[in-house]
Amino acid sequence: MKALVLSGGAGTRLRPITHTSAKQLVPVANKPVLFYGLESIAEAGITEVGVIVGDTAAEIQDAVGDGARFGLDITYIPQERPLGLAHAVLIARDYLGDDDFVMYLGDNFIVGGITDLVDEFRGNRPDAQILLTRVQDPRSFGVAELDELGQVVGLEEKPEHPKSDLALVGVYLFTPVIHDAVRAIEPSWRGELEITHAIQHLIDARADVRCTVIKGYWKDTGNVTDMLEVNRTVLEGLARRIDGEVDDASETVGRVVVEEGARIVNSRIVGPALVGAGTVVEDSYVGPFTSIAENCRVVDSELEFSIVLRDSSIHGVGRIESSLIGRHVEVTPAPSVPSAHRLVLGDHSKVRIHT
């Protein structure tokens, strides 16, 4: 059995962060989201992995390498444009051969991994198996319709009027019959080859398509709100560890991790929180559900429920919360006079200003 991991896509919902970084490499608890998926695949006993890459191919390849660090053998498969999940299966045909495979969206996060799902698929070997979860607003997802016996009878991609609240999670398991299905479908109104259409083709052909409704935690980390929620979930599993320096004037409360080389000076850290290697926190408060990456500086500030990427500086700005701060960012106070805001913002930025 192989795995096909999708790591292309523009990540428009995470702009401006994704103007300069692949969305799959934005860190959760100081580890790229993509790495959690690769680790789950390895834990399920799968070693051969094809990774679909697009415009951010060089960055993905630099971060993941040949896969040896995960116990995987990785092959990179270029995709000129993100033309749909079924298109990814189509261009991976030669790599996948006649093997069964799991398709995993690289920006998805599933607590508990996929081992049980893979074992179930190997034992029963249906033509396709999909994961479903209940969501409040299914209009942003692929949506499944089940009959009274719990069998999948229909799938729709981002429907305006969903027939259920069951959304497809970004993990799919297939036998080689899916290859005929992806060749049989036409592009959708979005100009993409939809995997929901390919699975519907199997359903219409009376193939054995099964579903598993998961009750555990799943998130598509495609926007800032979901990214912060995933960060919170991962941090809740932290075990306290202080490898860096914490001076006598500082206090660490609860599940706090201070990595080697980090320094906490005259500050209070309330967990769950993570302070990366080489980072300095001075005269500051870092509250729960916050991860600060390596080589940052937080001085005379308060920070809570936020993610700070590497090599960034926050100095004298009072309180920051529910924020995602990119790499090499400088956050400083504005002069009190004159009363005006000075902004340098990238395309598609969103700013909230108190007046």
Side-chain angles (χ1 to χ4, degrees), residues 29-30 238 241-246 256-264 273-279 292-295:
N30 291 359
L238 282 183
R241 177 166 52 85
I242 309 295
D243 294 334
E245 300 178 22
V246 179
V256 173
V257 171
V258 179
E259 299 282 6
E260 186 175 357
R263 292 193 299 120
I264 311 299
L274 173 57
V275 180
T279 285
I292 306 172
E294 65 271 21
N295 300 320

Side-chain angles (χ1 to χ4, degrees), residues 40-246:
S40 293
I41 289 166
E43 289 167 3
I46 299 170
T47 58
E48 296 181 76
V49 179
V51 178
I52 301 289
V53 290
D55 291 342
T56 58
E59 188 180 9
I60 297 288
Q61 290 180 239
D62 183 60
V64 176
D66 63 2
R69 63 186 292 185
F70 305 100
L72 302 173
D73 179 11
I74 289 189
T75 299
Y76 293 97
I77 303 168
Q79 185 182 36
E80 290 185 6
R81 288 187 297 143
L83 296 175
L85 304 188
H87 181 260
V89 176
L90 191 67
I91 65 173
R93 179 67 176 93
D94 290 343
Y95 172 76
L96 295 169
D98 292 326
D99 293 316
D100 296 347
F101 67 98
V102 55
M103 183 167 73
Y104 196 116
L105 274 59
D107 59 353
N108 276 224
F109 184 90
I110 300 176
V111 170
I114 61 171
T115 299
D116 291 345
L117 176 72
V118 170
D119 288 345
E120 179 184 348
F121 179 81
R122 282 172 164 154
N124 299 321
R125 202 168 179 265
D127 295 310
Q129 186 163 347
I130 58 177
L131 262 70
L132 304 174
T133 191
R134 298 191 184 279
V135 296
Q136 288 187 341
D137 185 3
R139 291 174 298 176
S140 299
F141 303 93
V143 176
E145 181 184 4
L146 308 185
D147 64 15
E148 62 277 4
L149 298 177
Q151 300 298 311
V152 185
V153 295
L155 298 174
E156 291 183 281
E157 186 64 34
K158 298 180 174 61
E160 185 175 347
H161 303 289
K163 295 179 180 178
S164 80
D165 62 351
L166 290 169
L168 276 77
V169 174
V171 178
Y172 310 78
L173 296 109
F174 297 115
T175 63
V177 299
I178 193 63
H179 296 300
D180 290 334
V182 299
R183 286 196 298 268
I185 62 174
E186 297 292 332
S188 68
W189 62 270
R190 302 193 302 167
E192 298 185 2
L193 291 175
E194 310 284 3
I195 197 65
T196 47
H197 292 178
I199 300 171
Q200 184 66 53
H201 181 86
L202 294 179
I203 294 170
D204 294 341
R206 300 189 180 278
D208 186 4
V209 177
R210 303 186 188 183
C211 67
T212 299
V213 179
I214 63 171
K215 295 181 173 62
Y217 187 86
W218 163 79
K219 278 289 184 184
D220 168 4
T221 61
N223 61 53
V224 173
T225 300
D226 288 342
M227 184 70 70
L228 292 173
E229 279 298 318
V230 172
N231 193 62
R232 177 189 62 78
T233 299
V234 176
L235 292 178
E236 285 179 338
L238 282 183
R240 181 179 172 86
R241 177 166 52 85
I242 309 295
D243 294 334
E245 300 178 22
V246 179

